[in-house]
């Protein structure tokens, strides 16, 4: 276990569609030294909830279920039947989190993943999404303890919420304590003018989860992300949530196509995970020493 921040890794480094045969990766992830697993949920049907629950108990890993609302279950669709399916779908993901013992559902929860209308968002879309998240949050509170952390993604994937400032306003409008913001440094590199400002505008109260990714989806430290600024800003707000690695294997054709991953960033998922974790822990220690030295 790490002494300060705790670290997770997304299963898309190891498997394209997490299923019963992939539960074994949780034991590997614990062996690599991670504190948590970020399980990418490809579909509700066939998810091995009981096996995951058993593995979490045996390994001591914390768990996040990462899920993106599909276009056929889009909370901001003009089609009311589509919005109804969105409500049904997110309840199903919450049920999975409860069944397997995950503490959080993260990902693109407030709009359909890759839904773009070719124009700026509308007030109706905002209101539909806020109502969707309120209902989901109330269901989560009634049925268990899972927190909902909606991910802020870049303009090439959605027109809905792209910045931390918009996410903070959305959180205020939803008005539920179990709805948090999920930031991702890959998307922040496109949309934010300052990592410090983006993290600050969320604050400890609203920032619930963080994907620690490079700008090119490579191993952390191999790109342009301002890691010292990032760690300093997280400390300044007193962030206590997880930091998780996320990338994709380009041989996973469906995921790689959606994420535009055309080149291999490491020899294997394990190499990416181990080297990425080493860099993040080294950066944590380095920035902590620097801050102490500066008094």
């Amino acid at each position: 276990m790490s002494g300060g921040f705790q670290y997770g890794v997304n299963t898309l480094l190891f498997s394209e569609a997490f299923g019963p045969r992939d539960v074994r990766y949780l034991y590997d992830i614990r062996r690599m030294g991670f504190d948590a697993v970020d399980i990418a949920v490809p579909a509700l049907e066939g998810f091995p909830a009981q096996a995951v629950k058993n593995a979490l108990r045996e390994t001591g890993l914390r768990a996040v279920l990462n899920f993106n609302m599909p276009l056929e279950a889009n909370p901001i669709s003009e089609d009311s039947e589509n919005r109804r399916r969105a409500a049904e779908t997110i309840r199903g993901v919450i049920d999975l989190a409860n069944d397997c013992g995950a503490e959080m559902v993260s990902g693109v929860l407030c709009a359909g993943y890759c839904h773009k209308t070719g124009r700026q968002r509308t007030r109706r879309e905002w209101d539909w999404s806020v109502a969707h998240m309120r209902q989901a949050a109330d269901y989560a509170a009634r049925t268990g303890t899972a927190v909902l952390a909606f991910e802020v993604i870049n303009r090439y994937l959605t027109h809905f919420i792209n910045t931390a400032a918009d996410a903070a306003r959305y959180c205020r409008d939803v008005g539920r304590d179990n709805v948090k913001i999920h930031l991702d440094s890959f998307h922040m590199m496109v949309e934010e003018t300052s990592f410090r400002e983006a993290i600050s505008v969320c604050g400890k109260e609203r920032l619930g989860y963080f994907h620690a990714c490079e700008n090119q989806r490579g191993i952390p430290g191999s790109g342009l992300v301002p890691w010292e600024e990032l760690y300093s800003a997280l400390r300044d707000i007193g962030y206590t949530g997880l930091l998780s690695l996320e990338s994709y294997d380009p041989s996973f054709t469906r995921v790689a196509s959606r994420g535009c991953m055309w080149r291999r960033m490491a020899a294997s998922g394990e190499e990416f995970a181990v080297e990425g974790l080493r860099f993040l822990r080294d950066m944590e220690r380095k920035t902590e020493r620097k801050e102490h030295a500066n008094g």
Side-chain angles (χ1 to χ4, degrees):
M1 301 284 284
S2 56
F5 293 109
Q6 292 203 333
Y7 296 95
V9 63
N10 187 278
T11 56
L12 287 173
L13 280 170
F14 312 104
S15 171
E16 180 169 20
F18 190 91
R21 291 182 300 177
D22 301 311
V23 174
R24 61 193 173 92
Y25 289 119
L26 275 63
Y27 298 89
D28 295 336
I29 286 166
R30 188 69 188 93
R31 174 182 53 76
M32 293 175 209
F34 286 93
D35 308 297
V37 59
D38 182 336
I39 303 175
V41 179
L44 305 188
E45 298 77 20
F47 185 81
Q50 186 59 50
V52 168
K53 184 176 183 177
N54 293 341
L56 295 177
R57 183 178 62 249
E58 292 170 4
T59 60
L61 287 171
R62 300 168 65 184
V64 175
L65 297 190
N66 189 270
F67 185 81
N68 296 327
M69 297 298 293
L71 292 178
E72 64 271 16
N74 180 4
I76 63 172
S77 172
E78 294 281 344
D79 181 356
S80 61
E81 177 62 18
N82 198 325
R83 298 198 303 274
R84 185 199 64 76
R85 286 195 298 270
E88 183 179 272
T89 298
I90 200 165
R91 287 195 299 268
V93 182
I94 293 165
D95 288 341
L96 284 184
N98 293 337
D99 290 345
C100 71
E103 65 188 64
M104 180 178 291
V105 175
S106 71
V108 183
L109 306 177
C110 55
Y113 184 67
C114 288
H115 173 67
K116 294 174 287 184
T117 62
R119 50 165 169 72
Q120 292 181 311
R121 68 165 179 256
T122 66
R123 182 68 207 192
R124 285 204 307 169
E125 289 171 338
W126 186 269
D127 291 344
W128 283 330
S129 184
V130 165
H132 162 81
M133 287 300 290
R134 284 177 181 165
Q135 292 167 7
D138 291 345
Y139 182 79
R142 286 197 309 272
T143 59
T145 59
V147 169
L148 307 180
F150 64 94
E151 187 171 11
V152 183
I153 60 176
N154 71 69
R155 69 188 68 188
Y156 303 110
L157 297 173
T158 186
H159 69 292
F160 190 62
I161 294 179
N162 304 128
T163 67
D166 265 1
R169 183 162 72 88
Y170 181 84
C171 241
R172 290 194 296 269
D173 282 4
V174 172
R176 298 294 190 270
D177 291 341
N178 59 342
V179 172
K180 306 292 184 182
I181 298 167
H182 168 185
L183 291 182
D184 182 316
S185 49
F186 169 80
H187 299 292
M188 293 170 75
M189 288 294 294
V190 177
E191 298 294 346
E192 304 292 352
T193 58
S194 161
F195 270 54
R196 183 174 297 280
E197 289 176 11
I199 290 168
S200 177
V201 78
C202 294
K204 182 179 181 179
E205 177 186 356
R206 296 189 180 93
L207 184 58
Y209 193 44
F210 205 99
H211 271 171
C213 304
E214 267 299 356
N215 64 290
Q216 87 291 39
R217 291 289 190 196
I219 297 172
S222 66
L224 302 174
V225 169
W227 292 104
E228 290 192 33
E229 178 186 350
L230 190 159
Y231 271 93
S232 176
L234 289 175
R235 282 201 185 89
D236 283 351
I237 68 166
Y239 179 72
T240 57
L242 293 167
L243 286 83
S244 290
L245 294 170
E246 181 192 47
S247 191
Y248 319 118
D249 186 318
S251 68
F252 300 157
T253 54
R254 182 184 63 85
V255 174
S257 177
R258 295 181 74 180
C260 298
M261 177 64 77
W262 312 125
R263 65 185 190 275
R264 187 172 296 280
M265 308 307 292
S268 66
E270 179 164 349
E271 179 186 78
F272 189 109
V274 170
E275 293 303 316
L277 180 60
R278 180 181 294 119
F279 172 83
L280 293 178
R281 285 192 169 145
D282 285 348
M283 181 58 62
E284 178 183 354
R285 288 188 288 267
K286 175 183 177 181
T287 54
E288 188 174 27
R289 286 194 301 268
K290 182 176 289 188
E291 289 175 10
H292 286 164
N294 293 336

